[in-house]
Amino acid sequence: MMGDKTANGEPKRAGGLADDYVAVLIIAIANRLTRGASKYYREVWNLGVVEWRVMVSLGHQAPRSIGEIAEDADLDRGAVSRSVKLLCERGLLRAESGAGRLNQVSFTASGRRLLEKLRAVGREREARLMADFTAEERPLLLGLLNRLLSQVDYMNARGEEDKEA
């Protein structure tokens, strides 16, 4: 096991509530990942996690619209728009406007160079995260997490029985 351990050698846990609620465990994992990524990307490149996600999403396909980036990165359009504006001001992206709105976003040369560094570090961080999983376990984990993700809207939907409680 390569991850953090307690004083008695057991893997660190998220706390008692995470034993009873899967959502609490997932939120704990997400919070820890976000805090770590935010700290790292801020210290090294002065980028927040949202800016990182915008850059990596745009790296999948450029040029792209704000809406396409937001959908791909699972972010709010307003957050994407603010991040694109900031990244344009820093000379990493360029945005073409039309009808008073940003229509297409693409990389500048310096943005493309930074993207390659971000991708390399992202792959490194991902490898560290998954280091304790076997090659067979990795696709299983991704499949289970995606299955769980597909249930979120159902969980969040309130049924008639909830209104009577």
Side-chain angles (χ1 to χ4, degrees):
M1 165 99 34
M2 296 181 184
D4 290 341
K5 295 184 180 178
T6 63
N8 66 359
E10 293 293 317
K12 273 194 175 178
R13 300 179 60 82
L17 278 179
D19 290 336
D20 295 331
Y21 297 96
V22 171
V24 172
L25 178 59
I26 291 170
I27 291 166
I29 293 167
N31 287 341
R32 290 177 189 191
L33 288 171
T34 300
R35 276 194 307 267
S38 180
K39 182 179 186 304
Y40 177 80
Y41 291 115
R42 279 262 180 245
E43 287 175 359
V44 177
W45 290 292
N46 194 27
L47 287 178
V49 174
V50 173
E51 287 84 23
W52 177 85
R53 287 168 68 178
V54 167
M55 294 279 294
V56 173
S57 172
L58 192 57
H60 286 153
Q61 178 187 339
R64 275 187 142 172
S65 70
I66 296 288
E68 290 168 330
I69 295 169
E71 185 176 330
D72 184 54
D74 196 25
L75 292 167
D76 174 76
R77 284 176 154 217
V80 171
S81 185
R82 289 186 295 277
S83 292
V84 165
K85 184 175 187 246
L86 176 77
L87 293 166
C88 285
E89 289 169 1
R90 291 186 52 192
L92 299 169
L93 300 181
R94 72 174 62 84
E96 296 180 21
S97 299
R101 305 178 83 175
L102 294 177
N103 287 334
Q104 294 293 306
V105 181
S106 58
F107 287 104
T108 63
S110 60
R112 180 67 62 190
R113 285 189 299 274
L114 177 58
L115 172 67
E116 293 313 312
K117 293 175 186 175
L118 295 174
R119 282 180 169 162
V121 167
R123 284 189 295 271
E124 224 176 88
R125 289 176 57 84
E126 181 83 5
R128 290 174 61 111
L129 178 65
M130 300 300 287
D132 200 36
F133 292 90
T134 66
E136 295 78 25
E137 289 172 325
R138 290 175 189 157
L140 177 63
L141 175 63
L142 290 174
L144 291 171
L145 289 171
N146 277 306
R147 216 163 103 198
L148 203 54
L149 177 62
S150 73
Q151 290 296 109
V152 171
D153 286 343
Y154 175 69
M155 180 192 78
N156 288 336
R158 294 195 52 124
E160 289 300 314
E161 65 281 359
D162 293 339
K163 294 177 185 175
E164 295 174 8

